[in-house]
């Protein structure tokens, strides 16, 4: 049985994207964060 509160492995990845206009001025940006984890086995 997997324990829903304890994580065995957790990996977080962040990606940043910027969009310049015709004058190379950064007009907008976006950060995407993705977290992947594996649950630990529960103690019996």
């Amino acid at each position: 049985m997997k324990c829903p509160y304890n994580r065995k492995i957790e990996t977080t990845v962040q990606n940043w994207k910027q969009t310049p206009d015709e004058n190379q001025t950064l007009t907008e940006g976006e950060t995407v964060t993705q977290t992947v984890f594996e649950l630990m086995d529960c103690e019996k």
Side-chain angles (χ1 to χ4, degrees):
M1 179 191 324
K2 297 293 182 182
C3 187
Y5 305 108
N6 293 332
R7 296 178 181 173
K8 182 177 181 180
I9 298 171
E10 181 174 330
T11 304
T12 303
V13 177
Q14 284 192 326
N15 188 16
W16 170 252
K17 177 184 174 186
Q18 293 179 320
T19 306
D21 63 9
E22 62 277 351
N23 297 322
Q24 298 303 311
T25 302
L26 299 176
T27 57
E28 63 184 7
E30 178 181 12
T31 301
V32 178
T33 303
Q34 179 183 16
T35 302
V36 179
F37 57 88
E38 180 181 337
L39 297 176
M40 293 180 69
D41 292 330
C42 287
E43 293 184 22
K44 295 181 181 181

Short mmCIF file of all heavy atoms in Angstrom, two decimals:
data_model
loop_
_atom_site.label_atom_id
_atom_site.label_comp_id
_atom_site.label_asym_id
_atom_site.label_seq_id
_atom_site.Cartn_x
_atom_site.Cartn_y
_atom_site.Cartn_z
N MET A 1 0.85 -1.17 0.00
CA MET A 1 0.00 0.00 0.00
C MET A 1 0.89 1.24 0.00
O MET A 1 1.90 1.29 0.68
CB MET A 1 -0.90 0.01 1.23
CG MET A 1 -1.73 1.24 1.21
SD MET A 1 -2.72 1.81 2.55
CE MET A 1 -3.47 0.66 3.46
N LYS A 2 0.54 2.24 -0.78
CA LYS A 2 1.31 3.48 -0.88
C LYS A 2 0.77 4.50 0.12
O LYS A 2 -0.43 4.63 0.32
CB LYS A 2 1.23 4.06 -2.28
CG LYS A 2 1.83 3.17 -3.35
CD LYS A 2 3.31 3.06 -3.18
CE LYS A 2 3.91 2.19 -4.27
NZ LYS A 2 5.34 2.03 -4.11
N CYS A 3 1.68 5.22 0.76
CA CYS A 3 1.31 6.25 1.73
C CYS A 3 1.08 7.57 0.98
O CYS A 3 1.97 8.05 0.29
CB CYS A 3 2.43 6.41 2.76
SG CYS A 3 1.98 7.51 4.09
N PRO A 4 -0.10 8.19 1.10
CA PRO A 4 -0.40 9.39 0.31
C PRO A 4 0.32 10.65 0.79
O PRO A 4 0.27 11.66 0.11
CB PRO A 4 -1.92 9.54 0.47
CG PRO A 4 -2.23 8.87 1.76
CD PRO A 4 -1.23 7.75 1.90
N TYR A 5 1.00 10.59 1.95
CA TYR A 5 1.61 11.80 2.50
C TYR A 5 3.13 11.82 2.43
O TYR A 5 3.73 12.88 2.54
CB TYR A 5 1.19 11.98 3.96
CG TYR A 5 -0.31 12.00 4.12
CD1 TYR A 5 -0.98 10.94 4.69
CD2 TYR A 5 -1.05 13.07 3.65
CE1 TYR A 5 -2.36 10.95 4.81
CE2 TYR A 5 -2.43 13.10 3.76
CZ TYR A 5 -3.08 12.03 4.35
OH TYR A 5 -4.43 12.05 4.47
N ASN A 6 3.76 10.66 2.27
CA ASN A 6 5.22 10.59 2.23
C ASN A 6 5.69 10.34 0.80
O ASN A 6 5.21 9.43 0.14
CB ASN A 6 5.74 9.48 3.14
CG ASN A 6 5.49 9.79 4.59
OD1 ASN A 6 5.41 10.94 4.98
ND2 ASN A 6 5.35 8.76 5.41
N ARG A 7 6.65 11.13 0.36
CA ARG A 7 7.17 10.99 -0.99
C ARG A 7 8.58 10.40 -0.94
O ARG A 7 9.43 10.88 -0.22
CB ARG A 7 7.19 12.35 -1.69
CG ARG A 7 5.80 12.89 -1.87
CD ARG A 7 5.80 14.23 -2.50
NE ARG A 7 4.43 14.72 -2.62
CZ ARG A 7 4.12 15.92 -3.01
NH1 ARG A 7 5.06 16.77 -3.33
NH2 ARG A 7 2.86 16.28 -3.08
N LYS A 8 8.79 9.37 -1.73
CA LYS A 8 10.09 8.71 -1.80
C LYS A 8 11.06 9.54 -2.64
O LYS A 8 12.20 9.77 -2.27
CB LYS A 8 9.90 7.32 -2.40
CG LYS A 8 11.15 6.49 -2.50
CD LYS A 8 10.82 5.11 -3.03
CE LYS A 8 12.04 4.24 -3.13
NZ LYS A 8 11.69 2.91 -3.66
N ILE A 9 10.59 9.99 -3.80
CA ILE A 9 11.39 10.79 -4.73
C ILE A 9 10.52 11.94 -5.22
O ILE A 9 9.35 11.74 -5.55
CB ILE A 9 11.86 9.95 -5.94
CG1 ILE A 9 12.74 8.80 -5.49
CG2 ILE A 9 12.59 10.81 -6.95
CD1 ILE A 9 13.06 7.82 -6.60
N GLU A 10 11.09 13.14 -5.28
CA GLU A 10 10.36 14.28 -5.82
C GLU A 10 11.29 15.06 -6.73
O GLU A 10 12.41 15.39 -6.35
CB GLU A 10 9.86 15.19 -4.70
CG GLU A 10 9.08 16.38 -5.20
CD GLU A 10 8.47 17.20 -4.08
OE1 GLU A 10 8.13 16.65 -3.03
OE2 GLU A 10 8.34 18.42 -4.28
N THR A 11 10.84 15.35 -7.95
CA THR A 11 11.61 16.11 -8.92
C THR A 11 10.78 17.29 -9.39
O THR A 11 9.62 17.13 -9.77
CB THR A 11 11.98 15.23 -10.13
OG1 THR A 11 12.67 14.07 -9.66
CG2 THR A 11 12.86 15.98 -11.11
N THR A 12 11.37 18.49 -9.34
CA THR A 12 10.69 19.69 -9.79
C THR A 12 11.48 20.30 -10.95
O THR A 12 12.69 20.48 -10.84
CB THR A 12 10.56 20.72 -8.65
OG1 THR A 12 9.86 20.11 -7.57
CG2 THR A 12 9.81 21.95 -9.10
N VAL A 13 10.79 20.60 -12.05
CA VAL A 13 11.40 21.20 -13.23
C VAL A 13 10.68 22.51 -13.52
O VAL A 13 9.46 22.56 -13.54
CB VAL A 13 11.30 20.26 -14.44
CG1 VAL A 13 11.88 20.91 -15.68
CG2 VAL A 13 11.97 18.94 -14.16
N GLN A 14 11.46 23.59 -13.73
CA GLN A 14 10.87 24.87 -14.11
C GLN A 14 11.39 25.28 -15.49
O GLN A 14 12.55 25.09 -15.80
CB GLN A 14 11.24 25.97 -13.11
CG GLN A 14 10.48 25.87 -11.82
CD GLN A 14 10.64 27.12 -10.97
OE1 GLN A 14 11.71 27.74 -10.98
NE2 GLN A 14 9.61 27.48 -10.26
N ASN A 15 10.48 25.84 -16.28
CA ASN A 15 10.82 26.29 -17.63
C ASN A 15 10.35 27.74 -17.77
O ASN A 15 9.21 28.06 -17.43
CB ASN A 15 10.14 25.40 -18.67
CG ASN A 15 10.61 25.69 -20.07
OD1 ASN A 15 11.62 26.34 -20.28
ND2 ASN A 15 9.86 25.20 -21.04
N TRP A 16 11.23 28.62 -18.23
CA TRP A 16 10.90 30.04 -18.38
C TRP A 16 10.96 30.40 -19.85
O TRP A 16 11.89 30.04 -20.56
CB TRP A 16 11.90 30.89 -17.60
CG TRP A 16 11.81 32.36 -17.88
CD1 TRP A 16 12.71 33.10 -18.59
CD2 TRP A 16 10.78 33.25 -17.48
NE1 TRP A 16 12.31 34.40 -18.64
CE2 TRP A 16 11.11 34.53 -17.96
CE3 TRP A 16 9.60 33.11 -16.77
CZ2 TRP A 16 10.31 35.64 -17.75
CZ3 TRP A 16 8.81 34.22 -16.55
CH2 TRP A 16 9.18 35.46 -17.04
N LYS A 17 9.93 31.14 -20.33
CA LYS A 17 9.87 31.57 -21.72
C LYS A 17 9.56 33.06 -21.75
O LYS A 17 8.67 33.52 -21.05
CB LYS A 17 8.76 30.80 -22.45
CG LYS A 17 8.56 31.22 -23.88
CD LYS A 17 7.39 30.49 -24.50
CE LYS A 17 7.11 31.04 -25.88
NZ LYS A 17 5.90 30.46 -26.45
N GLN A 18 10.32 33.82 -22.55
CA GLN A 18 10.09 35.25 -22.70
C GLN A 18 9.76 35.56 -24.16
O GLN A 18 10.27 34.91 -25.07
CB GLN A 18 11.33 36.05 -22.32
CG GLN A 18 11.67 35.97 -20.86
CD GLN A 18 12.92 36.74 -20.53
OE1 GLN A 18 13.88 36.73 -21.28
NE2 GLN A 18 12.91 37.41 -19.39
N THR A 19 8.91 36.57 -24.36
CA THR A 19 8.52 36.97 -25.70
C THR A 19 8.89 38.43 -25.93
O THR A 19 8.31 39.31 -25.30
CB THR A 19 6.99 36.77 -25.89
OG1 THR A 19 6.65 35.44 -25.54
CG2 THR A 19 6.58 37.05 -27.32
N PRO A 20 9.85 38.72 -26.83
CA PRO A 20 10.20 40.11 -27.12
C PRO A 20 9.31 40.68 -28.23
O PRO A 20 8.79 39.94 -29.07
CB PRO A 20 11.64 40.01 -27.59
CG PRO A 20 11.76 38.65 -28.16
CD PRO A 20 10.81 37.77 -27.40
N ASP A 21 9.16 42.01 -28.24
CA ASP A 21 8.45 42.66 -29.34
C ASP A 21 9.46 43.05 -30.42
O ASP A 21 10.62 42.63 -30.39
CB ASP A 21 7.63 43.86 -28.84
CG ASP A 21 8.49 44.97 -28.25
OD1 ASP A 21 9.74 44.90 -28.36
OD2 ASP A 21 7.93 45.90 -27.66
N GLU A 22 9.05 43.87 -31.40
CA GLU A 22 9.93 44.22 -32.53
C GLU A 22 11.14 45.05 -32.10
O GLU A 22 12.15 45.10 -32.80
CB GLU A 22 9.16 44.95 -33.64
CG GLU A 22 8.53 46.27 -33.23
CD GLU A 22 7.18 46.12 -32.54
OE1 GLU A 22 6.62 45.01 -32.51
OE2 GLU A 22 6.68 47.12 -32.02
N ASN A 23 11.09 45.71 -30.93
CA ASN A 23 12.22 46.48 -30.41
C ASN A 23 13.07 45.68 -29.42
O ASN A 23 13.90 46.25 -28.72
CB ASN A 23 11.71 47.75 -29.71
CG ASN A 23 11.00 48.67 -30.66
OD1 ASN A 23 11.41 48.83 -31.81
ND2 ASN A 23 9.92 49.28 -30.20
N GLN A 24 12.83 44.39 -29.37
CA GLN A 24 13.53 43.48 -28.47
C GLN A 24 13.25 43.79 -26.99
O GLN A 24 14.06 43.48 -26.13
CB GLN A 24 15.04 43.46 -28.75
CG GLN A 24 15.39 42.95 -30.14
CD GLN A 24 14.84 41.56 -30.41
OE1 GLN A 24 15.01 40.67 -29.60
NE2 GLN A 24 14.17 41.38 -31.53
N THR A 25 12.13 44.44 -26.71
CA THR A 25 11.69 44.68 -25.34
C THR A 25 10.85 43.48 -24.92
O THR A 25 9.95 43.05 -25.66
CB THR A 25 10.83 45.96 -25.26
OG1 THR A 25 11.61 47.05 -25.75
CG2 THR A 25 10.41 46.24 -23.84
N LEU A 26 11.17 42.93 -23.76
CA LEU A 26 10.43 41.76 -23.29
C LEU A 26 9.04 42.20 -22.84
O LEU A 26 8.88 43.00 -21.93
CB LEU A 26 11.18 41.09 -22.15
CG LEU A 26 12.58 40.59 -22.52
CD1 LEU A 26 13.29 40.04 -21.32
CD2 LEU A 26 12.49 39.55 -23.62
N THR A 27 8.03 41.69 -23.54
CA THR A 27 6.66 42.13 -23.29
C THR A 27 5.90 41.18 -22.39
O THR A 27 4.95 41.59 -21.73
CB THR A 27 5.90 42.25 -24.62
OG1 THR A 27 5.94 40.99 -25.30
CG2 THR A 27 6.52 43.31 -25.50
N GLU A 28 6.26 39.93 -22.38
CA GLU A 28 5.57 38.96 -21.54
C GLU A 28 6.47 37.76 -21.29
O GLU A 28 7.45 37.54 -21.99
CB GLU A 28 4.25 38.50 -22.17
CG GLU A 28 4.43 37.77 -23.49
CD GLU A 28 3.11 37.41 -24.15
OE1 GLU A 28 2.05 37.84 -23.65
OE2 GLU A 28 3.13 36.68 -25.14
N GLY A 29 6.13 37.03 -20.26
CA GLY A 29 6.90 35.84 -19.93
C GLY A 29 6.00 34.82 -19.26
O GLY A 29 4.91 35.14 -18.80
N GLU A 30 6.48 33.60 -19.22
CA GLU A 30 5.68 32.52 -18.64
C GLU A 30 6.63 31.55 -17.95
O GLU A 30 7.67 31.19 -18.49
CB GLU A 30 4.91 31.81 -19.75
CG GLU A 30 4.08 30.66 -19.29
CD GLU A 30 3.35 29.98 -20.45
OE1 GLU A 30 3.65 30.25 -21.62
OE2 GLU A 30 2.49 29.16 -20.15
N THR A 31 6.26 31.13 -16.75
CA THR A 31 6.99 30.11 -16.03
C THR A 31 6.09 28.89 -15.87
O THR A 31 4.95 29.02 -15.43
CB THR A 31 7.42 30.60 -14.64
OG1 THR A 31 8.24 31.75 -14.78
CG2 THR A 31 8.22 29.53 -13.90
N VAL A 32 6.60 27.72 -16.24
CA VAL A 32 5.87 26.47 -16.10
C VAL A 32 6.63 25.62 -15.10
O VAL A 32 7.84 25.40 -15.25
CB VAL A 32 5.73 25.73 -17.44
CG1 VAL A 32 5.01 24.40 -17.26
CG2 VAL A 32 5.02 26.59 -18.46
N THR A 33 5.95 25.16 -14.05
CA THR A 33 6.56 24.31 -13.03
C THR A 33 5.87 22.95 -13.06
O THR A 33 4.64 22.88 -13.01
CB THR A 33 6.41 24.92 -11.64
OG1 THR A 33 7.01 26.22 -11.65
CG2 THR A 33 7.10 24.07 -10.58
N GLN A 34 6.67 21.89 -13.14
CA GLN A 34 6.13 20.53 -13.15
C GLN A 34 6.80 19.75 -12.03
O GLN A 34 8.02 19.76 -11.91
CB GLN A 34 6.41 19.85 -14.49
CG GLN A 34 5.91 18.43 -14.57
CD GLN A 34 6.25 17.76 -15.89
OE1 GLN A 34 7.10 18.25 -16.63
NE2 GLN A 34 5.62 16.66 -16.17
N THR A 35 6.00 19.11 -11.19
CA THR A 35 6.52 18.30 -10.09
C THR A 35 6.08 16.85 -10.29
O THR A 35 4.90 16.59 -10.48
CB THR A 35 6.01 18.81 -8.73
OG1 THR A 35 6.40 20.18 -8.58
CG2 THR A 35 6.59 18.02 -7.58
N VAL A 36 7.05 15.94 -10.26
CA VAL A 36 6.79 14.51 -10.40
C VAL A 36 7.30 13.85 -9.14
O VAL A 36 8.40 14.15 -8.66
CB VAL A 36 7.52 13.94 -11.63
CG1 VAL A 36 7.28 12.45 -11.78
CG2 VAL A 36 7.10 14.68 -12.88
N PHE A 37 6.51 12.95 -8.56
CA PHE A 37 6.95 12.28 -7.35
C PHE A 37 6.50 10.82 -7.31
O PHE A 37 5.56 10.44 -8.00
CB PHE A 37 6.46 13.01 -6.10
CG PHE A 37 4.97 13.19 -6.02
CD1 PHE A 37 4.17 12.23 -5.44
CD2 PHE A 37 4.38 14.33 -6.53
CE1 PHE A 37 2.80 12.39 -5.38
CE2 PHE A 37 3.02 14.51 -6.46
CZ PHE A 37 2.22 13.52 -5.88
N GLU A 38 7.21 10.04 -6.52
CA GLU A 38 6.88 8.63 -6.29
C GLU A 38 6.57 8.49 -4.80
O GLU A 38 7.33 8.95 -3.96
CB GLU A 38 8.07 7.75 -6.67
CG GLU A 38 7.84 6.28 -6.46
CD GLU A 38 9.06 5.44 -6.81
OE1 GLU A 38 9.90 5.91 -7.60
OE2 GLU A 38 9.17 4.34 -6.26
N LEU A 39 5.44 7.86 -4.49
CA LEU A 39 5.02 7.70 -3.10
C LEU A 39 5.78 6.56 -2.43
O LEU A 39 6.15 5.57 -3.06
CB LEU A 39 3.51 7.43 -3.04
CG LEU A 39 2.61 8.55 -3.55
CD1 LEU A 39 1.16 8.11 -3.54
CD2 LEU A 39 2.79 9.81 -2.74
N MET A 40 5.98 6.70 -1.13
CA MET A 40 6.63 5.67 -0.32
C MET A 40 5.61 4.61 0.06
O MET A 40 4.40 4.86 0.06
CB MET A 40 7.22 6.27 0.96
CG MET A 40 8.36 7.20 0.74
SD MET A 40 8.99 7.88 2.28
CE MET A 40 9.73 6.42 2.99
N ASP A 41 6.10 3.43 0.40
CA ASP A 41 5.24 2.39 0.95
C ASP A 41 4.89 2.75 2.39
O ASP A 41 5.73 3.27 3.13
CB ASP A 41 5.93 1.03 0.92
CG ASP A 41 6.12 0.53 -0.51
OD1 ASP A 41 5.29 0.88 -1.37
OD2 ASP A 41 7.10 -0.18 -0.76
N CYS A 42 3.66 2.48 2.81
CA CYS A 42 3.22 2.74 4.18
C CYS A 42 3.74 1.64 5.11
O CYS A 42 3.88 0.49 4.71
CB CYS A 42 1.71 2.78 4.27
SG CYS A 42 0.97 4.24 3.56
N GLU A 43 4.01 2.05 6.35
CA GLU A 43 4.38 1.06 7.35
C GLU A 43 3.11 0.32 7.76
O GLU A 43 2.04 0.90 7.84
CB GLU A 43 5.00 1.74 8.57
CG GLU A 43 6.32 2.37 8.27
CD GLU A 43 6.96 2.95 9.52
OE1 GLU A 43 6.61 2.52 10.63
OE2 GLU A 43 7.80 3.84 9.36
N LYS A 44 3.27 -0.96 8.04
CA LYS A 44 2.08 -1.75 8.41
C LYS A 44 2.02 -1.96 9.90
O LYS A 44 2.91 -1.85 10.62
CB LYS A 44 2.13 -3.10 7.70
CG LYS A 44 2.02 -2.90 6.20
CD LYS A 44 2.05 -4.21 5.50
CE LYS A 44 1.96 -3.96 4.00
NZ LYS A 44 1.95 -5.16 3.22
#
